[in-house]
Amino acid sequence: MRLQPTENVLGSVLEQYSIQPVHRCISRRRLFSTTTVARQNQRIAVVGGGITGLATAHYLARDLPSASITLFESGTRLGGWIRSDVVNLKDRHVLFERGPRTLRPYSVNGRLTLNLIEELGIADQVIKVNKSNINSGRRYLYYPDHLVALPDRWTNVFLRCWRLFTEPLYSGLLSGLYHELNTPKRPQSLDDESIGDFFSRRLGSDLLVNNLMSAMIHGIYAGDIWKLSARSLLPLYWEAEDTVGSLAEYHVNVTFGWKPGMILMEDQKLLSILNNETRMAGGYHANLTNMNQTMVYTFNHGMEQLVIGLKKALLAEGVNIRTQTKVEGLKVDTKGESVKLMSSQTNNPKPRITTEVFSHVVVTTSPSDVSPLPKPVFEYGITVPSSVHVMTVNLYYPTPHLKPGFGYLIPQSVPFDLNPERALGVIWDSNVAPQHDSKPGTKITVMLGGHYWSGWTSFPSENEGVEMAMTILARHLGITEQPLLAEARLHRNCIPQYEVGHEKNMKKLRETLQVEGKGRISVAGASYKGVGLNDCIRSAYDTTRGIVENGWMTGLEGLGEKKHWVKLPKRGISAQCFFCLVETVVSDDYASKEVEEDARVRRESGPLMQIPEILCCVLKQQLLEHSSTFTLNSSKLMSPVDFDTT
């Protein structure tokens, strides 16, 4: 199939919507800033022009206005995996998201992103998808040969009960719950284990792990549930087992407000800072209020609008942006007073190494791309996260084909003959943000590969990817019509995999970086503390805060150490109420009418109806907004079931 040409929104008409990015930045000057004159006059390099690098450069320029900031990007464009392409046809235009497509507001990291959006002056461009919208709230899993709707508010209690007892997807649910309630805590000697082993141990069976939970991991990490670290990716439930014992007991107690939930101390401190900032700035833009009723949000012209806003902010703040410049290596001087950065021009057929001196360098790329140490990381005996390859196939049909909902995920247990293409999931984009297209139609994204393609040296071509996606849609959804548009793109090494032992490895990297980097090199980004877009912005924020407050920070603080948790107010009738806590600037009424109604529905549904949510929530990684190219990202609380592709 011939692929249609696309027009990237960077440098296009989208630019006009971000011409006022820094008008609020001055009023939102960091409350924790204690900079000295010497620190203000630093020369700081940021390596990587993805969302982490852009946010890091912005926070540094904002909080150290006298410092000279230079951003290095080896490619021709900024934004990393965030890319929104507009395809123009004779009678319409269609927007394809190549990577993250939505964001979630109800987490600590999500709140930080909202503050950033407010600073950049693009709050009026936000498109909110309300929780009451069935297209945002209804999710499906494909098992074993048909779609199964997960429990939601639009399905009556009797139908939900019927599905629990008749659908093969939920096999072992009641016995697993009984086993979970009676399973003792893990032994203290167990330092980490895979998510699959964690839940298999607690549920007494692999059934729910393979059928239900592996699909959630596909939607978040495109990873193998039997390899990914429970300690790193599910810190709340790792802690809950250690302190409470039963995860089901903890979840039910918090959901119905019988006992308080938990939040990381560092998250609680950040919420206080963000609330104070927002009060001092006069509150949010009207379009960002009442976000407690928003399931997901995007922008009028796609997710790349956030990249455009950051780029314009950096230019206004005087940041030197160097694209097509590859960082070849870093070397700290013997006295630990500066860092030599070696770079070359990627557009030069005969590149010449250039050496520059900086007072500090923040590396936001993968350590396998640019080592934050003088030598490659593996030479220090440190294992860094591997990454998986994912192919996204965007298809557009002029006629409507879809039932209400967000899309569906495919668990690892689906037989090979029903998923020989090794698909991870299918997102129904036209249901979520129809405003992106000039005319109604059916827009779908199919995700292929992930951990299934690990170890492969060659991959399907774009045309082969399109054919594979069309075959999947015909088999699963009965769509046999030829798409009006079809494009595929392979994202190599796009989602880092936090496998068992990740925290221990990152602790070793931190200790080595403290010695070898001599306080002059920091790291941030998806390779360390979260793969989602919100997580990357949080990583940029935390690293910048350490540099501003202390003069240096590795960016790996806390990894491998005992986490400090504090109790939430015992008022949370629902995990969905969490955003009310972080949105106190907008409303001090913790339980708004909308949230009270949501809580009433959940209470009336009874504990039995909460069971599937318990199991699915667990995989939401504590309200995780862990979102990578196809995920969500990380608040340390529970969230309602969902799988985002942010």
Side-chain angles (χ1 to χ4, degrees), residues 1-4 6 85 87 94-99 101 389-397 408 421-430 442-450 453 459-474 477 479 483-491 494 629-630 645:
M1 175 175 291
R2 184 176 180 180
L3 302 183
Q4 299 289 334
T6 63
D85 288 336
V87 184
V94 178
L95 187 147
F96 282 162
E97 293 284 12
R98 307 301 186 182
R101 60 207 62 232
H389 317 289
V390 175
M391 177 175 281
T392 57
V393 184
N394 301 96
L395 305 105
Y396 178 80
Y397 301 86
Y408 65 94
E421 299 82 8
R422 291 312 192 201
L424 303 167
V426 178
I427 305 302
W428 301 341
D429 298 299
S430 53
T442 297
K443 186 168 62 176
I444 297 175
T445 299
V446 179
M447 301 177 293
L448 305 170
W453 290 359
F459 303 94
S461 67
E462 292 184 350
N463 286 333
E464 289 172 337
V466 169
E467 293 297 332
M468 293 165 66
M470 292 172 59
T471 302
I472 292 167
L473 296 180
L477 301 178
I479 300 177
L484 185 61
L485 293 170
E487 298 187 357
R489 182 160 300 179
L490 178 63
H491 305 271
C494 61
T629 305
F630 317 97
T645 57

Side-chain angles (χ1 to χ4, degrees), residues 39-57:
R39 200 171 299 164
Q40 286 276 2
N41 294 326
Q42 295 182 96
R43 289 194 71 215
I44 304 177
V46 178
V47 181
I51 189 63
T52 309
L54 294 172
T56 300

Side-chain angles (χ1 to χ4, degrees), residues 264-294:
L264 283 171
M265 183 180 293
E266 62 194 63
D267 287 350
Q268 185 186 52
K269 291 179 179 178
L270 176 57
L271 284 178
S272 177
I273 291 172
L274 296 177
N275 285 340
N276 287 336
E277 284 184 359
T278 308
R279 287 191 180 95
M280 293 182 65
Y284 275 137
H285 184 281
N287 199 32
L288 295 186
T289 59
N290 300 320
M291 293 295 282
N292 60 304
Q293 286 303 299
T294 299

Side-chain angles (χ1 to χ4, degrees), residues 110-131:
R111 171 64 188 277
L112 177 63
T113 302
L114 289 178
N115 276 39
L116 176 61
I117 290 170
E118 179 73 18
E119 290 181 20
L120 300 177
I122 57 176
D124 60 331
Q125 298 299 308
V126 168
I127 298 175
K128 297 186 289 187
V129 182
N130 197 280
K131 290 179 182 178

Side-chain angles (χ1 to χ4, degrees), residues 194-209:
S194 74
I195 296 175
D197 289 330
F198 177 78
F199 285 115
S200 178
R201 174 172 55 81
R202 294 225 50 90
L203 298 171
S205 169
D206 295 348
L207 277 174
L208 289 172
V209 177

Side-chain angles (χ1 to χ4, degrees), residues 49-348:
I51 189 63
T52 309
L54 294 172
T56 300
H58 166 65
Y59 287 135
L60 286 169
R62 185 192 64 182
D63 298 331
L64 298 173
S66 298
S68 173
I69 313 296
T70 303
L71 184 144
F72 294 86
E73 165 57 41
S74 61
T76 58
R77 58 178 294 276
L78 301 174
W81 301 117
I82 302 175
R83 181 161 186 155
S84 308
D85 288 336
V86 176
V87 184
N88 293 309
L89 302 173
K90 291 182 180 180
D91 62 339
R92 69 188 72 198
H93 70 260
V94 178
L95 187 147
F96 282 162
E97 293 284 12
R98 307 301 186 182
R101 60 207 62 232
T102 55
L103 284 164
R104 294 187 176 277
Y106 48 85
S107 69
V108 179
N109 296 351
R111 171 64 188 277
L112 177 63
T113 302
L114 289 178
N115 276 39
L116 176 61
I117 290 170
E118 179 73 18
E119 290 181 20
L120 300 177
I122 57 176
D124 60 331
Q125 298 299 308
V126 168
I127 298 175
K128 297 186 289 187
V129 182
N130 197 280
K131 290 179 182 178
S132 62
N133 187 334
I134 190 173
N135 286 327
S136 71
R138 176 160 290 176
R139 267 76 168 156
Y140 301 86
L141 297 186
Y142 184 86
Y143 182 84
D145 58 1
H146 61 279
L147 296 184
V148 181
L150 293 172
D152 57 51
R153 67 176 72 184
W154 300 279
T155 306
N156 66 63
V157 173
F158 298 105
L159 182 55
R160 278 185 277 176
C161 285
W162 177 256
R163 287 174 179 166
L164 290 179
F165 291 105
T166 60
E167 283 290 352
L169 177 68
Y170 298 114
S171 296
L173 179 62
L174 295 181
S175 60
L177 178 63
Y178 177 81
H179 189 277
E180 204 285 327
L181 289 167
N182 293 279
T183 297
K185 303 176 184 179
R186 65 179 177 273
Q188 291 299 314
S189 59
L190 184 58
D191 184 63
D192 196 4
E193 62 184 326
S194 74
I195 296 175
D197 289 330
F198 177 78
F199 285 115
S200 178
R201 174 172 55 81
R202 294 225 50 90
L203 298 171
S205 169
D206 295 348
L207 277 174
L208 289 172
V209 177
N210 286 322
N211 293 351
L212 189 65
M213 299 177 183
S214 67
M216 303 300 171
I217 293 300
H218 279 173
I220 298 169
Y221 295 103
D224 185 349
I225 195 171
W226 298 100
K227 293 182 179 180
L228 297 179
S229 165
R231 180 182 176 185
S232 297
L233 303 180
L234 300 171
L236 175 64
Y237 290 94
W238 189 259
E239 177 70 15
E241 183 189 35
D242 192 43
T243 56
V244 178
S246 168
L247 305 185
E249 178 184 348
Y250 173 83
H251 179 84
V252 171
N253 283 336
V254 174
T255 297
F256 292 95
W258 298 333
K259 290 184 180 180
M262 296 183 292
I263 184 174
L264 283 171
M265 183 180 293
E266 62 194 63
D267 287 350
Q268 185 186 52
K269 291 179 179 178
L270 176 57
L271 284 178
S272 177
I273 291 172
L274 296 177
N275 285 340
N276 287 336
E277 284 184 359
T278 308
R279 287 191 180 95
M280 293 182 65
Y284 275 137
H285 184 281
N287 199 32
L288 295 186
T289 59
N290 300 320
M291 293 295 282
N292 60 304
Q293 286 303 299
T294 299
M295 178 67 76
V296 295
Y297 67 94
T298 179
F299 299 91
N300 285 339
H301 297 272
M303 290 298 296
E304 198 164 356
Q305 200 158 352
L306 179 59
V307 175
I308 297 294
L310 279 166
K311 177 184 175 183
K312 285 197 168 288
L314 297 184
L315 293 176
E317 292 160 342
V319 174
N320 181 12
I321 301 176
R322 299 187 192 174
T323 56
Q324 296 181 284
T325 306
K326 181 182 179 182
V327 173
E328 303 287 353
L330 304 172
K331 184 177 181 180
V332 182
D333 73 1
T334 55
K335 295 182 179 180
E337 296 178 349
S338 62
V339 184
K340 290 183 179 179
L341 183 149
M342 287 69 76
S343 65
S344 63
Q345 296 297 311
T346 59
N347 59 347
N348 190 338

